[in-house]
Amino acid sequence: MELNKYIDHTLLKATTTPKEIKKLCSEAKEHNFFAVCVNSCYVKLAKDELKDSEVKIASVIGFPLGAMSTPAKVAEARQCIEDGADEIDMVINIGKLKAGLYKEVEREISQIKKAIGDAVLKVIIETCYLTDDEKVVASKASLNAGADFVKTSTGFGTAGATYSDISLMKNTVEDKMSIKASGGIKDRKTAERYIELGANRLGTSSGIKIVTSN
């Protein structure tokens, strides 16, 4: 299993410096990861650093709370694409989902997908805050809105991905969309198990450890 091609090499800490982003991009090229995942202010820098490679650029939107206004999220997504992002990882409005405002959540996802055109859209539903029923609803909303991936976590919530979450999401969306597991994936065995359960991509800051260990 070529684990490197499943990995979004991720650095999203508030304290991240340009120097650290350059290092992230260098590591991604060295290990041939699928993508780097960075905050929107660093998309241009990542684009410059990765210009002679096949490594994609993913940027997070409405991160990490998901509570920004829809126009703000749309504008941020558009700017990321303009700056060179290939993929957008957006956070849903978790509070509205929990309030049962499912159509509003779906509409926001749809507007962001429309704004970014052919670019890949991953929808972070932040599973640690949701019941199983809410996870199913959020996954279906992502599918109905035309997103490409449903994703477990920001890595900034109370917990990250779980095996049961990936199984639930896979059973919900089947093969109609892809799944990204993120948050707490720190070793090869865990990474391989997520892929076996149906994950198509892994968001992790431990990518080098994962691909270099036995």
Side-chain angles (χ1 to χ4, degrees):
M1 187 184 290
E2 285 189 275
L3 280 177
N4 57 311
K5 300 312 289 183
Y6 284 87
I7 289 174
D8 286 357
H9 193 37
T10 302
L11 183 57
L12 298 168
K13 293 183 299 184
T15 55
T16 301
T17 64
K19 182 179 179 181
E20 288 172 321
I21 292 295
K22 289 179 180 179
K23 182 172 181 278
L24 184 84
C25 293
S26 176
E27 291 168 348
K29 287 190 286 187
E30 180 184 350
H31 296 281
N32 197 22
F33 290 134
F34 188 89
V36 295
C37 188
V38 299
N39 282 298
S40 58
C41 68
Y42 286 129
V43 171
K44 274 188 178 179
L45 176 58
K47 184 72 173 176
D48 287 343
E49 294 297 311
L50 295 169
K51 62 188 174 194
D52 297 321
S53 78
E54 294 181 358
V55 179
K56 304 289 187 187
I57 300 167
S59 184
V60 291
I61 298 300
F63 194 86
L65 302 178
M68 300 73 178
S69 70
T70 296
K73 288 182 180 177
V74 169
E76 187 180 19
R78 281 201 180 113
Q79 186 65 53
C80 286
I81 298 302
E82 192 176 306
D83 288 347
D86 304 288
E87 303 186 347
I88 296 296
D89 290 31
M90 65 161 286
V91 188
I92 64 164
N93 191 307
I94 301 159
K96 287 189 176 180
L97 182 87
K98 294 195 75 67
L101 301 172
Y102 306 139
K103 283 298 176 187
E104 287 191 34
V105 173
E106 186 176 315
R107 197 177 304 121
E108 178 176 89
I109 300 167
S110 181
Q111 286 182 33
I112 292 172
K113 179 58 183 173
K114 184 178 178 182
I116 67 173
D118 294 333
V120 168
L121 178 62
K122 309 191 201 92
V123 180
I124 307 171
I125 64 173
E126 199 71 295
T127 47
C128 64
Y129 296 133
L130 307 182
T131 65
D132 281 354
D133 286 346
E134 288 167 341
K135 293 167 195 174
V136 169
V137 169
S139 297
K140 286 181 177 176
S142 303
L143 177 63
N144 292 341
D148 303 281
F149 279 76
V150 61
K151 174 179 170 182
T152 59
S153 320
T154 61
F156 287 77
T158 54
T162 67
Y163 297 146
S164 60
D165 283 343
I166 296 301
S167 295
L168 181 66
M169 292 157 79
K170 183 65 175 176
N171 288 337
T172 302
V173 304
E174 299 174 326
D175 294 322
K176 296 169 189 163
M177 68 190 306
S178 297
I179 296 169
K180 179 175 173 180
S182 63
I185 305 170
K186 298 186 182 300
D187 60 77
R188 187 181 191 92
K189 183 179 178 182
T190 304
E192 288 175 342
R193 181 61 179 148
Y194 278 120
I195 293 165
E196 287 168 8
L197 291 170
N200 308 90
R201 199 83 66 80
L202 306 173
T204 178
S205 57
S206 302
I208 295 171
K209 178 186 173 186
I210 289 168
V211 299
T212 55
S213 63
N214 295 320

